[in-house]
């Protein structure tokens, strides 16, 4: 106590000197620094604080934290997400039997239409080429609904997965893992199998096909809005430099980061908070409007719009896109080859 009193006395003397010098910024810094030194030294010299006794209390509090999960109010949301995801995959598989989808051989570009576009946006394998035409082939469900997988945890608040334990855990879709941690029920057979029987679209009428497109678009919106609600309560991480996602309080320690330019020590991930687009990538594609030509030309690329792949597929099936996508789709924009006079 005598040592602390001396420190306070020195601090008061120092304050008086600073007041005479009329330097308020230096005065404020000095007060904060001297106060921090006094508090830290007094705290470290306190013999009553025993961290060995506090450790079991901290561990017990971490274990008790799992009792508050899953949150009962979020269980219906998690169930709706799982059901809507199943309907989404089934609806997309049905629409793909009627509406052609094209994917590039050498890049992730996807286009929905009778024929692939001629916009020079292909960067080739591993981005070696630039501004090349795409080489199209038939696409599938995974080209529109990008699969994002993560480790399936045995317990929400279990220990962090180490690198040597990466093969001890199954890999499941990130949306399913988030829904399971939120309290949704799913059998082991359904967890390992994602195959769904799709309807025979060839026997459907135009009205039935439109109903399928509307239901698929509705399921897409329910999945995205439900995942956004779940992410407000449950934690999910994504790597800054690759597409790895982990659903849980903290990211795993498996050294699997594949972006070698930014690779850390032995390929460890750099985690940050995940968003909806990290778990359900929207897969933005070029959108052909009624005023556009049948084959989109690279010369007029600035006139064309964009849309998420699922939204574009459903609109071509007869559904009406939500108004929030109108700006992206440029529905009221000018068509190509429109003569106009430049200013000046």
């Amino acid at each position: 106590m005598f040592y602390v009193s001396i420190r306070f006395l020195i601090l008061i003397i120092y304050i008086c000197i600073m007041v005479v010098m009329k330097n308020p910024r230096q005065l404020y810094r000095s007060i904060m620094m001297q106060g921090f030194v006094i508090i830290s030294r007094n705290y470290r010299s306190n013999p009553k604080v025993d961290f060995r006794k506090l450790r079991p209390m901290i561990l017990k509090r971490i274990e008790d934290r799992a009792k508050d999960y899953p949150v009962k109010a979020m269980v219906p949301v998690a169930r709706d997400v799982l059901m809507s995801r199943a309907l989404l995959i089934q609806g997309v598989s049905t629409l793909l039997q009627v509406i052609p989808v094209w994917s590039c051989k050498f890049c992730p570009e996807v286009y929905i239409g009778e024929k692939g576009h001629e916009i020079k946006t292909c960067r080739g394998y591993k981005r070696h080429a630039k501004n090349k035409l795409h080489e199209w082939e038939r696409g599938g469900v995974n080209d529109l609904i990008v699969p994002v997988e993560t480790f399936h945890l045995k317990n929400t608040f279990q220990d962090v997965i180490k690198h040597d334990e990466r093969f001890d855990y199954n890999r499941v879709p990130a949306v399913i893992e988030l829904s399971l941690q939120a309290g949704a029920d799913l059998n082991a057979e359904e967890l390992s199998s994602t195959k769904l029987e799709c309807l025979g679209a060839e026997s459907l009428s135009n009205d039935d096909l439109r109903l399928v497109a509307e239901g698929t678009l509705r399921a897409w919106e329910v999945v995205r809005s439900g995942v956004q609600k779940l992410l407000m309560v449950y934690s999910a991480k994504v790597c800054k430099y690759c597409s790895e996602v982990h659903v849980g309080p903290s990211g795993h320690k498996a050294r699997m980061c594949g972006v070698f330019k930014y690779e850390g020590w032995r390929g460890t991930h750099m985690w940050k908070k995940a968003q909806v687009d990290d778990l359900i990538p929207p897969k933005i594609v070029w959108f052909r409007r009624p005023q556009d030509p049948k084959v989109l030309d690279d010369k007029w690329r600035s006139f064309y719009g964009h849309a998420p792949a699922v939204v574009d597929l459903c609109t071509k099936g007869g559904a009406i896109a939500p108004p929030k996508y109108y700006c992206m789709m440029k529905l009221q924009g000018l068509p190509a080859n429109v003569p106009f006079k430049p200013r000046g």
Side-chain angles (χ1 to χ4, degrees):
M1 293 297 296
F2 179 73
Y3 177 76
V4 175
S5 302
I6 294 177
R7 298 290 299 183
F8 271 113
L9 181 60
I10 296 174
L11 176 60
I12 294 174
I13 297 173
Y14 193 79
I15 291 174
C16 296
I17 297 174
M18 288 295 106
V19 170
V20 175
M21 295 176 63
K22 297 182 180 181
N23 193 346
R25 181 175 298 179
Q26 185 67 24
L27 173 62
Y28 175 76
R29 292 179 180 177
S30 301
I31 293 174
M32 296 299 295
M33 182 59 66
Q34 295 293 333
F36 176 76
V37 171
I38 294 171
I39 294 174
S40 61
R41 290 188 176 183
N42 188 26
Y43 180 77
R44 283 182 291 181
S45 62
N46 190 356
K48 297 181 180 180
V49 179
D50 190 357
F51 290 99
R52 290 177 296 180
K53 295 181 180 179
L54 291 178
R55 178 179 173 81
M57 299 173 58
I58 297 174
L59 296 177
K60 181 64 176 177
R61 185 172 181 178
I62 294 175
E63 293 178 358
D64 295 341
R65 184 175 55 177
K67 297 180 181 179
D68 299 332
Y69 291 88
V71 180
K72 295 182 179 180
M74 303 304 295
V75 174
V77 178
R79 293 174 180 172
D80 291 341
V81 169
L82 280 185
M83 295 177 59
S84 300
R85 180 182 178 274
L87 294 175
L88 174 64
I89 297 176
Q90 186 176 11
V92 170
S93 302
T94 303
L95 294 175
L96 284 179
Q97 300 179 21
V98 180
I99 303 172
V101 175
W102 306 94
S103 64
C104 183
K105 290 183 180 181
F106 305 112
C107 72
E109 182 80 9
V110 175
Y111 182 73
I112 303 173
E114 296 296 332
K115 187 179 179 181
H117 62 73
E118 296 182 357
I119 302 176
K120 298 179 181 180
T121 54
C122 183
R123 293 184 175 271
Y125 179 67
K126 291 186 177 180
R127 296 182 178 269
H128 287 171
K130 291 184 178 180
N131 301 327
K132 301 292 183 181
L133 289 175
H134 297 277
E135 294 189 21
W136 300 107
E137 61 181 3
R138 283 285 184 168
V141 178
N142 291 338
D143 296 318
L144 303 182
I145 306 176
V146 181
V148 178
E149 294 186 345
T150 183
F151 287 113
H152 175 53
L153 302 183
K154 301 175 183 178
N155 184 13
T156 305
F157 295 97
Q158 68 178 37
D159 295 336
V160 179
I161 300 176
K162 299 180 181 179
H163 180 70
D164 299 336
E165 302 173 348
R166 64 189 185 279
F167 297 115
D168 299 336
Y169 296 86
N170 296 327
R171 299 280 290 183
V172 299
V175 177
I176 293 181
E177 177 64 19
L178 180 63
S179 301
L180 291 177
Q181 294 188 17
D185 299 328
L186 193 64
N187 298 329
E189 298 179 356
E190 298 177 357
L191 184 62
S192 60
S193 177
T194 56
K195 296 182 180 179
L196 295 173
E197 296 181 359
C198 58
L199 303 175
E202 298 177 355
S203 60
L204 296 177
S205 61
N206 293 333
D207 294 338
D208 294 337
L209 190 64
R210 179 177 55 83
L211 292 177
V212 173
E214 291 177 352
T216 304
L217 184 57
R218 192 180 307 111
W220 167 260
E221 294 297 326
V222 170
V223 171
R224 286 187 60 86
S225 62
V227 170
Q228 186 174 10
K229 294 177 183 178
L230 293 177
L231 289 178
M232 295 180 180
V233 180
Y234 297 90
S235 176
K237 308 293 182 181
V238 64
C239 182
K240 294 182 180 180
Y241 306 126
C242 69
S243 58
E244 179 68 15
V245 173
H246 182 78
V247 180
S250 59
H252 60 76
K253 293 184 179 180
R255 300 187 294 269
M256 304 184 302
C257 190
V259 183
F260 299 102
K261 182 179 179 180
Y262 303 100
E263 184 176 340
W265 173 248
R266 294 184 179 180
T268 54
H269 296 285
M270 299 292 291
W271 299 108
K272 67 176 182 179
K273 181 177 176 59
Q275 304 297 330
V276 180
D277 292 344
D278 299 320
L279 275 67
I280 313 175
K283 194 68 175 184
I284 304 300
V285 299
W286 291 95
F287 177 73
R288 180 184 173 272
R289 305 164 300 177
Q291 62 266 34
D292 293 331
K294 292 184 178 180
V295 180
L296 302 183
D297 191 8
D298 184 71
K299 182 179 179 181
W300 308 101
R301 59 191 295 181
S302 59
F303 287 85
Y304 307 139
H306 296 81
V310 175
V311 177
D312 190 5
L313 180 68
C314 295
T315 53
K316 286 181 171 57
I320 299 176
K324 63 181 179 180
Y325 297 111
Y326 287 175
C327 182
M328 181 190 305
M329 300 164 72
K330 298 182 181 180
L331 292 179
Q332 304 299 329
L334 293 175
N337 296 325
V338 174
F340 63 94
K341 295 181 180 181
R343 294 181 179 180

